[in-house]
Amino acid sequence: MKKALLAIFSFCTLVFTGCNSIGEKDTLVARVNGEPIYKEDYAFMMRVGNIVPNTEQMRKASGSLFSRKALYTVALQKSPELKEKLASHNVALENYLLTFVYQRLFSMDRLMYSDNELAFYYDKHRDQFPDSLAYMNLRDKIADAMYIESHKDSLKSFAMLHRNLADSTAEVEITDDIKESFVSDHRQRIVRETGPALLKKFNIQETKIEMPSAEEYYNRHPELYNTPMGYVVYHVESADSASLAKRFKGKKIDLNMFKKIASKYSENKETKKAKGYVGKVLLGHSLPYEIGFVSRMFMEFSSMEDGSISPIIRSESTGRYHVFYRESFVPPVRKPFDRVRKVIERELATTANYELDSNYVLVTKNGEPAIREKDVIAVYDDNSAMLRSRRSHDQIVNALALQLAFASEAREVGLDHSWEYRAMKRQSDVDYVIKLYKHKVLTRVSVPEDSLKALYSRMGNPAHPNMGYEESRAELSDWFVIPENLMKRTYYYAEEDYLPKTYEEAKKQVFESAYLTYRSGRWDKEVVTSWGTAKVDLFADNITLLPQEWSVDLAVRSADSLYAQAKSIEKAYLAWSGIRDRYVDIDSVARRATFELAHIFSDRENFNEAQREYRAFYKTWPDSPDAEKAMFSRGFILNENLHKDDEALKVFEEFKKLYPKSELNESVDWLVQNIKSNGKLADDLMKKIEAEE
């Protein structure tokens, strides 16, 4: 969450470490909207994140723990259907969580010692470890020390093997480096040997997947073995695009007319003889007669009919210019099976994706089905960015088989009842629900379906022109509800990027940028509001919370005090930018925040950003009492700080027209005269001041 609105906590060392042992980690320390936070949640956070108590890092992590728990409870309250998805997700995720606990915490971190064993060793050997760190920060080092002490003979043998062979008389010395290498070697052996051993122990095997025959695959996928589509085309070529444009400007061109132009003006000697005829050209192939690759031609013709001519297109291969005539479309033709048999056989052996029923058994345990194709599909669904390929499928199956092996062992040694598993499970639940809820909030549709369809039929997806209707519903909904102040502010902040288009003409282009800001602010508001309205019950000493943002007025007062009173410019910037994004639908708040941000940019000497914000302010809210101040400030910055005198003069001239009775006009007149004198007025003034001094 932004802007330091999270909880800040300070815990005495005993909360984390106990006195002579680590203590009971299922101790309840707080509830957020009824959801518990335990001591073990902090212990897990410290161990996995290597977070030291009573530090800024710990305070931020603690704040995140509380605020995310609040967001989790709100998400389940507002979207109860997420509970069912969470339950289903947990069934699929259990093996992964147990694998993490086994590998990362039990074998790598604890070296398979119990927490009680390590805590007992720690209490007896405290002088070996830094006083400034807690048990949870040292647990891996404690495990190292305990392993070394328990394997002294093996350590001596290891040191002997790694002695200096160049000096046969040298004594075997057990240095800190030797100890570190000894333990590291043990960890590497665990990583290398445990997985295969557990697969064997629990008789977990991947099944052999039978691929179809080459002919079966060919018949299932006729679209994969077609010739490329193409066109029969004519062209006119020239080294000069301007002269080529003149040949076609204002003329109605049919094929006969095109042939006449080609035979008279084309600079391609080969095709000129044939009245511009190029012939059949296929997508992805180079064009003959030294025309080369012209991929844009295929893009242009894809939305045209036969008998159309292209705009002027530059060859990627030669740099010369062409106008093409599309005589006819050449559809793809299926290649004969015998022609592609060898290709298909090679694909089936190496790269062709599996085509399996969702219940197809991929892994067995003791001969019984354990992992099916539907489990692989679930992994793909949870990782939408993952490319679906044969290689990724094999990797997923292998990973699921190993997880099954590690999870089986974890249950056997009781890790499914460990505090670490409980803490990780709670964290996983929170992460998953927030992930789903965030997507739900960001893609919320709040506009009637008929309005969405009408807009789509008129203009398509305003942000992604190539998307179909179903995938576009969220963007279409945002088009209707996005605040006008955000749209205008986006345009006027970066007006140079949109000119010569006016705001109305550039509206779709502006939306492409503005809707992402709108969604981000919408999510930030959900996060802040969830924490701001959370009911927190504390059951541990020395826990303090910063005030929660329960209203926009509170947020504004807080931001105002940061800038106006405390002069914490960076914190004020974060506060005002967050307020503007979160409460953009409250026009007066967005207006105030924009004005404050312009001042802050100026104070930070980010002068280009400042003049942009001032411009966005007075053009988005021209009727504001502060508009003339914003315009004057922008003109002053352009002149004084950015030395863009021509732009400054335009701003001042516009100012004089809009505000003829302004109290600032005297200053404007002086600045204009100074600019026109190339700064002579300012120089004379400085000399006069210096003389008086």
Side-chain angles (χ1 to χ4, degrees):
M1 186 193 290
K2 297 178 183 176
K3 294 50 164 187
L5 294 168
L6 307 182
I8 289 187
F9 306 83
S10 63
F11 286 80
C12 65
T13 306
L14 290 180
V15 172
F16 296 109
T17 63
C19 296
N20 298 315
S21 70
I22 57 170
E24 294 300 321
K25 289 196 171 52
D26 58 356
T27 302
L28 186 66
V29 298
R31 286 188 185 275
V32 180
N33 292 337
E35 277 290 313
I37 292 177
Y38 295 99
K39 181 179 174 182
E40 63 194 31
D41 295 318
Y42 279 91
F44 181 81
M45 187 169 61
M46 288 176 64
R47 184 62 244 149
V48 174
N50 195 27
I51 299 172
V52 178
N54 300 320
T55 62
E56 184 63 24
Q57 184 188 23
M58 172 55 83
R59 286 190 285 272
K60 288 181 178 179
S62 299
S64 179
L65 178 64
F66 268 64
S67 67
R68 288 175 69 80
K69 186 73 78 170
L71 185 57
Y72 165 79
T73 60
V74 170
L76 291 178
Q77 179 188 1
K78 290 184 176 180
S79 303
E81 73 278 4
L82 297 182
K83 293 178 183 177
E84 187 176 335
K85 290 186 177 183
L86 176 61
S88 175
H89 175 74
N90 281 339
V91 171
L93 198 67
E94 185 177 1
N95 284 351
Y96 167 78
L97 296 180
L98 285 169
T99 297
F100 182 91
V101 171
Y102 186 94
Q103 289 181 323
R104 167 69 171 81
L105 300 172
F106 178 63
S107 60
M108 290 293 96
D109 196 47
R110 289 200 263 134
L111 293 178
M112 301 184 182
Y113 294 116
S114 72
D115 246 335
N116 286 334
E117 288 175 307
L118 293 175
F120 183 76
Y121 185 89
Y122 174 63
D123 283 342
K124 287 182 64 178
H125 302 85
R126 290 220 175 177
D127 57 326
Q128 296 182 21
F129 305 100
D131 291 335
S132 59
L133 296 177
Y135 166 81
M136 274 298 153
N137 301 117
L138 296 166
R139 196 172 69 171
D140 57 333
K141 301 302 180 185
I142 298 167
D144 291 354
M146 188 170 174
Y147 180 76
I148 288 169
E149 187 169 301
S150 304
H151 296 80
K152 290 180 179 178
D153 291 340
S154 298
L155 176 60
K156 288 179 182 178
S157 299
F158 183 85
M160 178 68 73
L161 288 172
H162 293 81
R163 71 187 186 281
N164 184 1
L165 297 177
D167 185 359
S168 59
T169 63
E171 292 185 14
V172 177
E173 185 179 0
I174 301 178
T175 63
D176 289 341
D177 287 342
I178 287 291
K179 292 177 181 178
E180 186 177 333
S181 296
F182 177 64
V183 179
S184 175
D185 185 70
H186 177 56
R187 281 195 170 89
Q188 291 175 24
R189 189 163 57 252
I190 291 173
V191 172
R192 187 171 59 250
E193 298 175 359
T194 305
L198 293 179
L199 288 170
K200 185 175 181 180
K201 175 181 177 179
F202 294 105
N203 191 21
I204 295 171
Q205 298 181 353
E206 295 182 28
T207 61
K208 181 176 175 56
I209 299 175
E210 295 293 335
M211 298 297 288
S213 69
E215 191 164 6
E216 287 173 332
Y217 196 80
Y218 173 78
N219 290 329
R220 287 184 198 173
H221 300 281
E223 76 287 351
L224 296 180
Y225 304 102
N226 289 334
T227 60
M229 52 76 73
Y231 304 97
V232 175
V233 301
Y234 290 74
H235 85 130
V236 179
E237 179 178 325
S238 175
D240 181 14
S241 61
S243 65
L244 192 59
K246 291 179 183 178
R247 308 298 178 201
F248 295 92
K249 187 176 181 180
K251 297 177 182 177
K252 187 176 181 181
I253 306 295
D254 59 12
L255 182 56
N256 288 329
M257 175 67 75
F258 194 92
K259 287 179 179 179
K260 289 178 182 178
I261 295 172
S263 60
K264 188 173 183 180
Y265 299 110
S266 182
E267 296 175 9
N268 186 306
K269 295 180 181 179
E270 294 294 324
T271 59
K272 185 175 183 179
K273 298 174 186 176
K275 299 181 180 180
Y277 182 70
V278 178
K280 182 171 70 173
V281 296
L282 300 178
L283 180 65
H285 290 248
S286 175
L287 275 63
Y289 308 117
E290 298 184 357
I291 298 171
F293 283 96
V294 196
S295 56
R296 190 181 155 203
M297 182 201 75
F298 293 96
M299 293 174 58
E300 295 288 347
F301 279 161
S302 66
S303 59
M304 296 180 178
E305 302 291 332
D306 290 345
S308 301
I309 65 169
S310 75
I312 296 171
I313 299 174
R314 193 168 182 261
S315 167
E316 298 154 35
S317 303
T318 67
R320 295 175 67 81
Y321 297 93
H322 303 262
V323 172
F324 293 95
Y325 181 94
R326 170 178 161 171
E327 183 184 37
S328 60
F329 174 70
V330 178
V333 177
R334 195 174 187 199
K335 298 173 184 177
F337 173 67
D338 288 341
R339 181 180 165 189
V340 295
R341 180 198 297 271
K342 294 294 183 184
V343 173
I344 297 174
E345 288 175 348
R346 186 164 58 251
E347 289 174 350
L348 289 172
T350 56
T351 61
N353 283 351
Y354 306 113
E355 298 169 346
L356 307 173
D357 181 84
S358 62
N359 283 317
Y360 192 99
V361 177
L362 298 168
V363 176
T364 61
K365 181 180 178 183
N366 288 325
E368 296 296 319
I371 296 169
R372 301 177 186 270
E373 176 67 10
K374 62 184 178 184
D375 299 311
V376 175
I377 295 171
V379 174
Y380 278 130
D381 290 342
D382 270 352
N383 300 272
S384 56
M386 184 183 291
L387 181 67
R388 299 196 179 201
S389 67
R390 181 167 179 173
R391 181 181 179 185
S392 64
H393 188 283
D394 289 344
Q395 290 172 336
I396 292 170
V397 172
N398 181 255
L400 291 175
L402 281 170
Q403 286 175 23
L404 176 62
F406 279 106
S408 299
E409 180 71 1
R411 292 185 186 95
E412 201 165 277
V413 298
L415 293 180
D416 54 334
H417 300 292
S418 67
W419 70 265
E420 291 157 314
Y421 178 72
R422 291 194 302 267
M424 188 174 182
K425 171 69 169 53
R426 280 191 295 273
Q427 178 179 297
S428 172
D429 287 354
V430 169
D431 289 345
Y432 182 70
V433 167
I434 289 177
K435 173 187 171 183
L436 295 184
Y437 188 57
K438 182 176 183 178
H439 178 75
K440 189 178 180 69
V441 170
L442 292 181
T443 59
R444 182 183 297 153
V445 175
S446 56
V447 176
E449 200 73 20
D450 56 349
S451 298
L452 300 180
K453 289 180 178 177
L455 178 63
Y456 185 79
S457 64
R458 188 172 77 249
M459 63 185 294
N461 184 316
H464 305 287
N466 296 324
M467 276 192 179
Y469 171 73
E470 285 301 324
E471 297 81 20
S472 301
R473 293 173 70 251
E475 285 81 15
L476 294 169
S477 180
D478 284 346
W479 176 271
F480 282 103
V481 299
I482 191 169
E484 187 75 1
N485 74 62
L486 173 57
M487 289 286 286
K488 286 186 175 179
R489 177 164 54 79
T490 301
Y491 174 82
Y492 289 118
Y493 180 86
E495 191 173 18
E496 301 87 348
D497 298 337
Y498 299 109
L499 291 174
K501 291 181 179 179
T502 65
Y503 166 68
E504 289 297 333
E505 292 169 338
K507 216 166 183 180
K508 280 183 69 173
Q509 192 178 348
V510 172
F511 180 78
E512 290 178 22
S513 174
Y515 91 98
L516 294 173
T517 302
Y518 179 55
R519 288 187 180 181
S520 177
R522 188 163 69 205
W523 174 244
D524 188 40
K525 184 177 182 180
E526 192 71 30
V527 173
V528 171
T529 303
S530 296
W531 172 241
T533 58
K535 182 180 183 297
V536 181
D537 300 305
L538 302 174
F539 309 118
D541 294 333
N542 300 325
I543 301 177
T544 57
L545 305 179
L546 279 179
Q548 295 160 300
E549 185 177 298
W550 48 264
S551 74
V552 64
D553 290 337
L554 177 65
V556 169
R557 286 199 301 272
S558 175
D560 196 44
S561 66
L562 284 170
Y563 184 62
Q565 298 172 26
K567 286 295 180 184
S568 299
I569 293 177
E570 293 305 314
K571 290 181 180 179
Y573 165 74
L574 292 173
W576 281 116
S577 60
I579 287 169
R580 183 169 69 175
D581 289 347
R582 284 196 295 280
Y583 305 110
V584 67
D585 53 328
I586 305 175
D587 191 70
S588 61
V589 175
R591 182 178 68 231
R592 168 78 188 282
T594 301
F595 197 54
E596 295 295 340
L597 284 166
H599 295 336
I600 290 169
F601 277 127
S602 183
D603 283 354
R604 292 168 71 187
E605 298 186 357
N606 300 132
F607 294 118
N608 189 47
E609 289 88 343
Q611 68 91 9
R612 283 170 175 259
E613 288 287 5
Y614 280 126
R615 178 178 62 194
F617 180 86
Y618 69 74
K619 291 201 172 188
T620 303
W621 296 282
D623 297 328
S624 167
D626 293 318
E628 66 176 275
K629 297 176 189 175
M631 183 178 282
F632 175 82
S633 297
R634 181 181 178 232
F636 182 85
I637 289 172
L638 287 169
N639 167 228
E640 180 68 20
N641 304 113
L642 298 176
H643 309 296
K644 296 182 177 181
D645 292 344
D646 290 342
E647 288 185 51
L649 281 174
K650 290 178 183 178
V651 172
F652 288 138
E653 288 167 4
E654 185 182 359
F655 184 94
K656 295 281 288 182
K657 291 177 183 177
L658 290 174
Y659 309 108
K661 298 180 181 180
S662 172
E663 295 177 356
L664 295 169
N665 272 326
E666 186 177 343
S667 298
V668 169
D669 290 338
W670 190 91
L671 287 167
V672 168
Q673 291 173 29
N674 184 56
I675 292 171
K676 290 181 177 179
S677 70
N678 293 320
K680 188 174 183 301
L681 282 183
D683 290 341
D684 291 344
L685 180 61
M686 287 302 298
K687 288 176 183 177
K688 184 178 179 181
I689 293 171
E690 289 171 1
E692 289 176 355
E693 291 176 349

